[in-house]
PDB file of all heavy atoms in Angstrom:
ATOM      1  N   ARG A 357     -50.666 -22.874  31.041  1.00 66.00           N
ATOM      2  CA  ARG A 357     -50.293 -21.495  31.393  1.00 66.00           C
ATOM      3  C   ARG A 357     -48.812 -21.243  31.185  1.00 66.00           C
ATOM      4  O   ARG A 357     -48.054 -22.201  30.890  1.00 66.00           O
ATOM      5  CB  ARG A 357     -50.640 -21.217  32.879  1.00 66.00           C
ATOM      6  CG  ARG A 357     -52.129 -21.246  33.193  1.00 66.00           C
ATOM      7  CD  ARG A 357     -52.368 -20.976  34.654  1.00 66.00           C
ATOM      8  NE  ARG A 357     -52.016 -22.135  35.477  1.00 66.00           N
ATOM      9  CZ  ARG A 357     -51.673 -22.082  36.704  1.00 66.00           C
ATOM     10  NH1 ARG A 357     -51.554 -20.925  37.345  1.00 66.00           N
ATOM     11  NH2 ARG A 357     -51.406 -23.180  37.407  1.00 66.00           N
ATOM     12  N   GLY A 358     -48.443 -20.008  31.346  1.00 65.00           N
ATOM     13  CA  GLY A 358     -47.037 -19.623  31.296  1.00 65.00           C
ATOM     14  C   GLY A 358     -46.518 -19.420  29.878  1.00 65.00           C
ATOM     15  O   GLY A 358     -47.228 -19.362  28.921  1.00 65.00           O
ATOM     16  N   HIS A 384     -42.200 -18.204  33.038  1.00 80.00           N
ATOM     17  CA  HIS A 384     -43.072 -17.068  32.756  1.00 80.00           C
ATOM     18  C   HIS A 384     -42.252 -15.922  32.225  1.00 80.00           C
ATOM     19  O   HIS A 384     -41.560 -15.216  33.013  1.00 80.00           O
ATOM     20  CB  HIS A 384     -43.829 -16.658  34.003  1.00 80.00           C
ATOM     21  CG  HIS A 384     -44.859 -17.662  34.429  1.00 80.00           C
ATOM     22  ND1 HIS A 384     -46.199 -17.515  34.212  1.00 80.00           N
ATOM     23  CD2 HIS A 384     -44.707 -18.862  35.092  1.00 80.00           C
ATOM     24  CE1 HIS A 384     -46.854 -18.582  34.690  1.00 80.00           C
ATOM     25  NE2 HIS A 384     -45.949 -19.406  35.255  1.00 80.00           N
ATOM     26  N   ASP A 386     -42.988 -12.949  31.017  1.00 70.00           N
ATOM     27  CA  ASP A 386     -43.320 -11.576  31.353  1.00 70.00           C
ATOM     28  C   ASP A 386     -42.647 -11.087  32.619  1.00 70.00           C
ATOM     29  O   ASP A 386     -42.361  -9.897  32.774  1.00 70.00           O
ATOM     30  CB  ASP A 386     -44.842 -11.401  31.458  1.00 70.00           C
ATOM     31  CG  ASP A 386     -45.491 -12.367  32.416  1.00 70.00           C
ATOM     32  OD1 ASP A 386     -44.865 -13.420  32.710  1.00 70.00           O
ATOM     33  OD2 ASP A 386     -46.607 -12.073  32.862  1.00 70.00           O
ATOM     34  N   THR A 420     -49.768 -20.223  27.443  1.00 84.00           N
ATOM     35  CA  THR A 420     -50.616 -19.123  26.949  1.00 84.00           C
ATOM     36  C   THR A 420     -49.858 -17.829  26.750  1.00 84.00           C
ATOM     37  O   THR A 420     -50.135 -17.044  25.826  1.00 84.00           O
ATOM     38  CB  THR A 420     -51.794 -18.893  27.896  1.00 84.00           C
ATOM     39  OG1 THR A 420     -51.274 -18.786  29.259  1.00 84.00           O
ATOM     40  CG2 THR A 420     -52.796 -20.047  27.850  1.00 84.00           C
ATOM     41  N   LYS A 421     -48.859 -17.577  27.599  1.00 85.00           N
ATOM     42  CA  LYS A 421     -48.140 -16.316  27.505  1.00 85.00           C
ATOM     43  C   LYS A 421     -47.293 -16.291  26.240  1.00 85.00           C
ATOM     44  O   LYS A 421     -47.171 -15.244  25.588  1.00 85.00           O
ATOM     45  CB  LYS A 421     -47.257 -16.112  28.753  1.00 85.00           C
ATOM     46  CG  LYS A 421     -48.078 -15.815  30.017  1.00 85.00           C
ATOM     47  CD  LYS A 421     -47.175 -15.592  31.236  1.00 85.00           C
ATOM     48  CE  LYS A 421     -48.029 -15.266  32.445  1.00 85.00           C
ATOM     49  NZ  LYS A 421     -47.201 -15.084  33.666  1.00 85.00           N
ATOM     50  N   SER A 422     -46.700 -17.435  25.862  1.00 86.00           N
ATOM     51  CA  SER A 422     -45.910 -17.442  24.643  1.00 86.00           C
ATOM     52  C   SER A 422     -46.805 -17.341  23.390  1.00 86.00           C
ATOM     53  O   SER A 422     -46.408 -16.780  22.375  1.00 86.00           O
ATOM     54  CB  SER A 422     -45.054 -18.713  24.580  1.00 86.00           C
ATOM     55  OG  SER A 422     -45.862 -19.871  24.599  1.00 86.00           O
ATOM     56  N   VAL A 424     -49.560 -15.523  23.294  1.00 90.00           N
ATOM     57  CA  VAL A 424     -49.819 -14.093  23.217  1.00 90.00           C
ATOM     58  C   VAL A 424     -48.695 -13.358  22.537  1.00 90.00           C
ATOM     59  O   VAL A 424     -48.872 -12.511  21.661  1.00 90.00           O
ATOM     60  CB  VAL A 424     -50.091 -13.528  24.613  1.00 90.00           C
ATOM     61  CG1 VAL A 424     -50.125 -11.989  24.566  1.00 90.00           C
ATOM     62  CG2 VAL A 424     -51.391 -14.039  25.165  1.00 90.00           C
ATOM     63  N   ILE A 436     -55.159  -7.850  21.949  1.00 92.00           N
ATOM     64  CA  ILE A 436     -55.096  -9.249  22.432  1.00 92.00           C
ATOM     65  C   ILE A 436     -55.223  -9.254  23.960  1.00 92.00           C
ATOM     66  O   ILE A 436     -54.582  -8.438  24.650  1.00 92.00           O
ATOM     67  CB  ILE A 436     -53.769  -9.896  22.010  1.00 92.00           C
ATOM     68  CG1 ILE A 436     -53.613  -9.813  20.504  1.00 92.00           C
ATOM     69  CG2 ILE A 436     -53.688 -11.343  22.497  1.00 92.00           C
ATOM     70  CD1 ILE A 436     -52.218 -10.229  19.996  1.00 92.00           C
ATOM     71  N   LYS A 437     -56.031 -10.194  24.479  1.00 90.00           N
ATOM     72  CA  LYS A 437     -56.162 -10.339  25.942  1.00 90.00           C
ATOM     73  C   LYS A 437     -55.993 -11.817  26.317  1.00 90.00           C
ATOM     74  O   LYS A 437     -56.514 -12.708  25.601  1.00 90.00           O
ATOM     75  CB  LYS A 437     -57.563  -9.892  26.395  1.00 90.00           C
ATOM     76  CG  LYS A 437     -57.743  -8.414  26.470  1.00 90.00           C
ATOM     77  CD  LYS A 437     -57.108  -7.816  27.732  1.00 90.00           C
ATOM     78  CE  LYS A 437     -57.456  -6.313  27.894  1.00 90.00           C
ATOM     79  NZ  LYS A 437     -56.818  -5.739  29.045  1.00 90.00           N
ATOM     80  N   ARG A 438     -55.240 -12.036  27.403  1.00 85.00           N
ATOM     81  CA  ARG A 438     -55.047 -13.397  27.895  1.00 85.00           C
ATOM     82  C   ARG A 438     -55.870 -13.584  29.165  1.00 85.00           C
ATOM     83  O   ARG A 438     -55.889 -12.735  30.049  1.00 85.00           O
ATOM     84  CB  ARG A 438     -53.560 -13.628  28.200  1.00 85.00           C
ATOM     85  CG  ARG A 438     -53.273 -14.935  28.927  1.00 85.00           C
ATOM     86  CD  ARG A 438     -51.784 -15.091  29.219  1.00 85.00           C
ATOM     87  NE  ARG A 438     -51.252 -13.991  29.999  1.00 85.00           N
ATOM     88  CZ  ARG A 438     -51.354 -13.923  31.343  1.00 85.00           C
ATOM     89  NH1 ARG A 438     -51.968 -14.885  32.014  1.00 85.00           N
ATOM     90  NH2 ARG A 438     -50.855 -12.909  31.981  1.00 85.00           N
ATOM     91  N   PHE A 439     -56.563 -14.740  29.242  1.00 85.00           N
ATOM     92  CA  PHE A 439     -57.377 -15.068  30.398  1.00 85.00           C
ATOM     93  C   PHE A 439     -57.044 -16.474  30.902  1.00 85.00           C
ATOM     94  O   PHE A 439     -57.349 -17.471  30.239  1.00 85.00           O
ATOM     95  CB  PHE A 439     -58.876 -14.965  30.103  1.00 85.00           C
ATOM     96  CG  PHE A 439     -59.284 -13.584  29.668  1.00 85.00           C
ATOM     97  CD1 PHE A 439     -59.607 -13.275  28.355  1.00 85.00           C
ATOM     98  CD2 PHE A 439     -59.379 -12.555  30.607  1.00 85.00           C
ATOM     99  CE1 PHE A 439     -59.988 -12.028  27.957  1.00 85.00           C
ATOM    100  CE2 PHE A 439     -59.791 -11.287  30.255  1.00 85.00           C
ATOM    101  CZ  PHE A 439     -60.087 -11.023  28.921  1.00 85.00           C
ATOM    102  N   ASP A 440     -56.426 -16.522  32.072  1.00 77.00           N
ATOM    103  CA  ASP A 440     -56.151 -17.788  32.734  1.00 77.00           C
ATOM    104  C   ASP A 440     -55.961 -17.534  34.200  1.00 77.00           C
ATOM    105  O   ASP A 440     -56.156 -16.411  34.677  1.00 77.00           O
ATOM    106  CB  ASP A 440     -54.916 -18.518  32.143  1.00 77.00           C
ATOM    107  CG  ASP A 440     -53.649 -17.667  32.157  1.00 77.00           C
ATOM    108  OD1 ASP A 440     -53.499 -16.896  33.108  1.00 77.00           O
ATOM    109  OD2 ASP A 440     -52.846 -17.779  31.226  1.00 77.00           O
ATOM    110  N   THR A 441     -55.615 -18.547  34.999  1.00 69.00           N
ATOM    111  CA  THR A 441     -55.545 -18.354  36.457  1.00 69.00           C
ATOM    112  C   THR A 441     -54.296 -17.585  36.904  1.00 69.00           C
ATOM    113  O   THR A 441     -54.106 -17.338  38.077  1.00 69.00           O
ATOM    114  CB  THR A 441     -55.602 -19.700  37.176  1.00 69.00           C
ATOM    115  OG1 THR A 441     -54.633 -20.604  36.659  1.00 69.00           O
ATOM    116  CG2 THR A 441     -56.974 -20.345  37.027  1.00 69.00           C
ATOM    117  N   ASP A 442     -53.437 -17.217  35.921  1.00 66.00           N
ATOM    118  CA  ASP A 442     -52.305 -16.351  36.292  1.00 66.00           C
ATOM    119  C   ASP A 442     -52.715 -14.888  36.319  1.00 66.00           C
ATOM    120  O   ASP A 442     -51.931 -14.020  36.680  1.00 66.00           O
ATOM    121  CB  ASP A 442     -51.150 -16.549  35.283  1.00 66.00           C
ATOM    122  CG  ASP A 442     -50.388 -17.864  35.555  1.00 66.00           C
ATOM    123  OD1 ASP A 442     -50.329 -18.284  36.708  1.00 66.00           O
ATOM    124  OD2 ASP A 442     -49.930 -18.461  34.584  1.00 66.00           O
ATOM    125  N   ASN A 443     -53.922 -14.586  35.836  1.00 68.00           N
ATOM    126  CA  ASN A 443     -54.364 -13.190  35.822  1.00 68.00           C
ATOM    127  C   ASN A 443     -54.451 -12.629  37.209  1.00 68.00           C
ATOM    128  O   ASN A 443     -54.911 -13.301  38.140  1.00 68.00           O
ATOM    129  CB  ASN A 443     -55.761 -13.095  35.180  1.00 68.00           C
ATOM    130  CG  ASN A 443     -55.784 -13.308  33.671  1.00 68.00           C
ATOM    131  OD1 ASN A 443     -56.639 -13.956  33.149  1.00 68.00           O
ATOM    132  ND2 ASN A 443     -54.795 -12.755  32.993  1.00 68.00           N
ATOM    133  N   LYS A 444     -54.035 -11.352  37.354  1.00 72.00           N
ATOM    134  CA  LYS A 444     -54.297 -10.626  38.588  1.00 72.00           C
ATOM    135  C   LYS A 444     -55.771 -10.272  38.656  1.00 72.00           C
ATOM    136  O   LYS A 444     -56.500 -10.376  37.657  1.00 72.00           O
ATOM    137  CB  LYS A 444     -53.410  -9.380  38.666  1.00 72.00           C
ATOM    138  CG  LYS A 444     -51.932  -9.709  38.645  1.00 72.00           C
ATOM    139  CD  LYS A 444     -51.067  -8.435  38.625  1.00 72.00           C
ATOM    140  CE  LYS A 444     -49.592  -8.788  38.598  1.00 72.00           C
ATOM    141  NZ  LYS A 444     -48.736  -7.567  38.509  1.00 72.00           N
ATOM    142  N   GLU A 447     -57.274  -8.235  35.973  1.00 72.00           N
ATOM    143  CA  GLU A 447     -57.116  -8.789  34.633  1.00 72.00           C
ATOM    144  C   GLU A 447     -58.123  -9.922  34.347  1.00 72.00           C
ATOM    145  O   GLU A 447     -58.193 -10.420  33.259  1.00 72.00           O
ATOM    146  CB  GLU A 447     -55.694  -9.344  34.429  1.00 72.00           C
ATOM    147  CG  GLU A 447     -54.596  -8.307  34.581  1.00 72.00           C
ATOM    148  CD  GLU A 447     -53.216  -8.916  34.616  1.00 72.00           C
ATOM    149  OE1 GLU A 447     -53.090 -10.130  34.961  1.00 72.00           O
ATOM    150  OE2 GLU A 447     -52.227  -8.222  34.292  1.00 72.00           O
ATOM    151  N   ARG A 448     -58.856 -10.382  35.407  1.00 76.00           N
ATOM    152  CA  ARG A 448     -59.713 -11.535  35.225  1.00 76.00           C
ATOM    153  C   ARG A 448     -60.870 -11.274  34.218  1.00 76.00           C
ATOM    154  O   ARG A 448     -61.268 -10.142  34.039  1.00 76.00           O
ATOM    155  CB  ARG A 448     -60.287 -11.952  36.594  1.00 76.00           C
ATOM    156  CG  ARG A 448     -59.258 -12.469  37.551  1.00 76.00           C
ATOM    157  CD  ARG A 448     -59.837 -12.637  38.932  1.00 76.00           C
ATOM    158  NE  ARG A 448     -58.847 -13.082  39.904  1.00 76.00           N
ATOM    159  CZ  ARG A 448     -58.971 -13.035  41.220  1.00 76.00           C
ATOM    160  NH1 ARG A 448     -60.117 -12.564  41.737  1.00 76.00           N
ATOM    161  NH2 ARG A 448     -58.019 -13.437  42.006  1.00 76.00           N
ATOM    162  N   PHE A 449     -61.346 -12.365  33.675  1.00 75.00           N
ATOM    163  CA  PHE A 449     -62.362 -12.241  32.646  1.00 75.00           C
ATOM    164  C   PHE A 449     -63.626 -11.521  33.127  1.00 75.00           C
ATOM    165  O   PHE A 449     -64.188 -10.708  32.364  1.00 75.00           O
ATOM    166  CB  PHE A 449     -62.751 -13.655  32.100  1.00 75.00           C
ATOM    167  CG  PHE A 449     -63.723 -13.588  30.959  1.00 75.00           C
ATOM    168  CD1 PHE A 449     -63.268 -13.371  29.668  1.00 75.00           C
ATOM    169  CD2 PHE A 449     -65.073 -13.737  31.159  1.00 75.00           C
ATOM    170  CE1 PHE A 449     -64.172 -13.323  28.591  1.00 75.00           C
ATOM    171  CE2 PHE A 449     -65.983 -13.687  30.121  1.00 75.00           C
ATOM    172  CZ  PHE A 449     -65.517 -13.453  28.841  1.00 75.00           C
ATOM    173  N   MET A 463     -58.591 -10.611  19.861  1.00 94.00           N
ATOM    174  CA  MET A 463     -58.153 -11.986  20.042  1.00 94.00           C
ATOM    175  C   MET A 463     -58.105 -12.332  21.523  1.00 94.00           C
ATOM    176  O   MET A 463     -57.480 -11.614  22.288  1.00 94.00           O
ATOM    177  CB  MET A 463     -56.797 -12.228  19.391  1.00 94.00           C
ATOM    178  CG  MET A 463     -56.735 -12.046  17.919  1.00 94.00           C
ATOM    179  SD  MET A 463     -55.101 -12.378  17.224  1.00 94.00           S
ATOM    180  CE  MET A 463     -55.371 -12.017  15.485  1.00 94.00           C
ATOM    181  N   LEU A 464     -58.771 -13.407  21.910  1.00 91.00           N
ATOM    182  CA  LEU A 464     -58.719 -13.888  23.271  1.00 91.00           C
ATOM    183  C   LEU A 464     -57.828 -15.138  23.313  1.00 91.00           C
ATOM    184  O   LEU A 464     -57.928 -16.010  22.444  1.00 91.00           O
ATOM    185  CB  LEU A 464     -60.094 -14.282  23.779  1.00 91.00           C
ATOM    186  CG  LEU A 464     -61.163 -13.176  23.996  1.00 91.00           C
ATOM    187  CD1 LEU A 464     -61.810 -12.754  22.671  1.00 91.00           C
ATOM    188  CD2 LEU A 464     -62.233 -13.689  24.945  1.00 91.00           C
ATOM    189  N   VAL A 465     -56.951 -15.177  24.271  1.00 91.00           N
ATOM    190  CA  VAL A 465     -56.080 -16.328  24.452  1.00 91.00           C
ATOM    191  C   VAL A 465     -56.303 -16.833  25.887  1.00 91.00           C
ATOM    192  O   VAL A 465     -56.279 -16.050  26.830  1.00 91.00           O
ATOM    193  CB  VAL A 465     -54.597 -15.979  24.244  1.00 91.00           C
ATOM    194  CG1 VAL A 465     -53.708 -17.191  24.472  1.00 91.00           C
ATOM    195  CG2 VAL A 465     -54.380 -15.412  22.836  1.00 91.00           C
ATOM    196  N   GLY A 466     -56.511 -18.126  26.018  1.00 87.00           N
ATOM    197  CA  GLY A 466     -56.695 -18.629  27.398  1.00 87.00           C
ATOM    198  C   GLY A 466     -56.814 -20.099  27.497  1.00 87.00           C
ATOM    199  O   GLY A 466     -56.695 -20.859  26.527  1.00 87.00           O
ATOM    200  N   THR A 467     -57.047 -20.513  28.750  1.00 86.00           N
ATOM    201  CA  THR A 467     -57.167 -21.920  29.102  1.00 86.00           C
ATOM    202  C   THR A 467     -58.647 -22.272  29.169  1.00 86.00           C
ATOM    203  O   THR A 467     -59.494 -21.621  28.582  1.00 86.00           O
ATOM    204  CB  THR A 467     -56.463 -22.152  30.458  1.00 86.00           C
ATOM    205  OG1 THR A 467     -57.060 -21.303  31.447  1.00 86.00           O
ATOM    206  CG2 THR A 467     -54.986 -21.844  30.370  1.00 86.00           C
ATOM    207  N   LEU A 470     -62.070 -20.189  29.304  1.00 79.00           N
ATOM    208  CA  LEU A 470     -62.809 -19.639  28.143  1.00 79.00           C
ATOM    209  C   LEU A 470     -63.614 -20.677  27.410  1.00 79.00           C
ATOM    210  O   LEU A 470     -64.275 -20.349  26.411  1.00 79.00           O
ATOM    211  CB  LEU A 470     -61.797 -19.018  27.146  1.00 79.00           C
ATOM    212  CG  LEU A 470     -61.001 -17.824  27.659  1.00 79.00           C
ATOM    213  CD1 LEU A 470     -60.052 -17.320  26.614  1.00 79.00           C
ATOM    214  CD2 LEU A 470     -61.943 -16.681  28.104  1.00 79.00           C
TER     215      LEU A 470
END
Side-chain angles (χ1 to χ4, degrees):
R357 293 179 285 155
H384 291 258
D386 54 338
T420 50
K421 290 181 179 178
S422 59
V424 169
I436 305 170
K437 284 281 187 183
R438 172 181 57 83
F439 298 106
D440 55 35
T441 52
D442 284 328
N443 288 139
K444 297 176 182 178
E447 300 170 337
R448 293 172 183 164
F449 183 83
M463 296 181 182
L464 292 79
V465 178
T467 57
L470 296 179

